[in-house]
Amino acid sequence: MSGLIGKKIGMTSIFDENGKNIPCTVIEAGPCIVTQVRTEEVDGYKALQLGFDDATEKNATKAAIGHAKKAGTSVKRKVVEFNGFDKEYKLGDAVTVEQFTEGEFVDVSGTSKGKGFQGVVKRHGFGGVGQATHGQHNRLRAPGSIGAASYPARVFKGMKMAGRMGGETVKVQNLRVYKVVPEKNLLVVKGCVPGHKNSYVIIEK
């Protein structure tokens, strides 16, 4: 799938042609520089490696600096491979937000916000006891029983328990592109995308 690397700016809302208020996310998409071209002959598959967001050479490794110099560009903070582009791109070319059109649908993936260590009610949607009777008084959000008795004499793998929540790669599919602003490299999509403000996202067509 062809696509682009972007940065989540934040959320807003716009009115459509019917006067309905639509919640939207604004993404700074590109411009991304082609830092490597994968070919069938050398790599066994066809793809483009795109780099986004300039990094300082002071904090970069020599390998990353040399890799960027081959493409005639600066070191990039985020590098991702894409395939399936309609156009042919060469090393050092810029891929812009203009490849997207208003009205089409895209998939956006990113790292969800980290929530820290959470209980079963927040993490898995357990109902809790809900002030029930039968003599309980301090078990409102407890997980309850986690297994049987002397058989199987263990807790099954994958048991829904409290634990660290968020900070995972999440993909939201079929988000409609409402606006493309090429002069500011902005993409406005319907709905929400994973991650905090200024986090990197990958937009795929």
Side-chain angles (χ1 to χ4, degrees):
M1 293 169 80
S2 64
L4 215 55
I5 312 167
K7 189 185 275 190
K8 179 177 172 178
I9 302 297
M11 290 196 74
T12 183
S13 60
I14 58 176
F15 291 95
D16 66 1
E17 59 276 4
N18 301 319
K20 194 176 177 188
N21 195 9
I22 307 291
C24 294
T25 304
V26 183
I27 301 169
E28 182 191 334
C32 295
I33 307 298
V34 179
T35 52
Q36 193 171 3
V37 179
R38 302 282 192 184
T39 59
E40 289 276 2
E41 301 79 54
V42 179
D43 306 289
Y45 66 99
K46 284 183 74 174
L48 287 182
Q49 188 189 82
L50 302 183
F52 174 70
D53 204 9
D54 293 339
T56 54
E57 282 200 11
K58 181 172 74 78
N59 299 326
T61 61
K62 284 188 179 177
I65 294 166
H67 187 68
K69 272 186 183 161
K70 267 189 190 174
T73 182
S74 57
V75 184
K76 301 298 177 187
R77 286 183 190 276
K78 184 77 172 170
V79 177
V80 181
E81 275 189 12
F82 295 92
N83 54 23
F85 282 95
D86 302 329
K87 230 172 105 182
E88 284 291 324
Y89 288 97
K90 298 193 298 294
L91 204 62
D93 285 355
V95 185
T96 64
V97 74
E98 291 176 39
Q99 65 167 305
F100 297 104
T101 54
E102 291 179 12
E104 73 175 338
F105 292 88
V106 294
D107 298 344
V108 181
S109 55
T111 305
S112 62
K113 286 181 180 178
K115 308 284 186 187
F117 195 100
Q118 297 298 331
V120 289
V121 173
K122 186 179 177 81
R123 193 178 187 214
H124 297 296
F126 282 22
V129 178
Q131 298 291 351
T133 178
H134 301 295
Q136 75 82 28
H137 65 99
N138 61 348
R139 291 284 176 272
L140 295 180
R141 299 170 71 90
S145 171
I146 59 165
S150 56
Y151 179 83
R154 65 191 177 91
V155 177
F156 289 116
K157 282 185 178 178
M159 180 68 62
K160 289 180 179 176
M161 290 182 164
R164 192 172 289 188
M165 181 181 173
E168 298 171 328
T169 300
V170 179
K171 180 183 278 191
V172 182
Q173 295 180 307
N174 299 323
L175 297 178
R176 186 176 170 192
V177 176
Y178 260 92
K179 236 177 219 179
V180 180
V181 189
E183 56 272 14
K184 291 188 176 176
N185 301 309
L186 294 180
L187 193 68
V188 181
V189 297
K190 181 182 178 180
C192 55
V193 304
H196 55 78
K197 288 178 186 176
N198 293 322
S199 63
Y200 294 117
V201 292
I202 295 165
I203 310 132
E204 294 174 317
K205 288 176 83 167

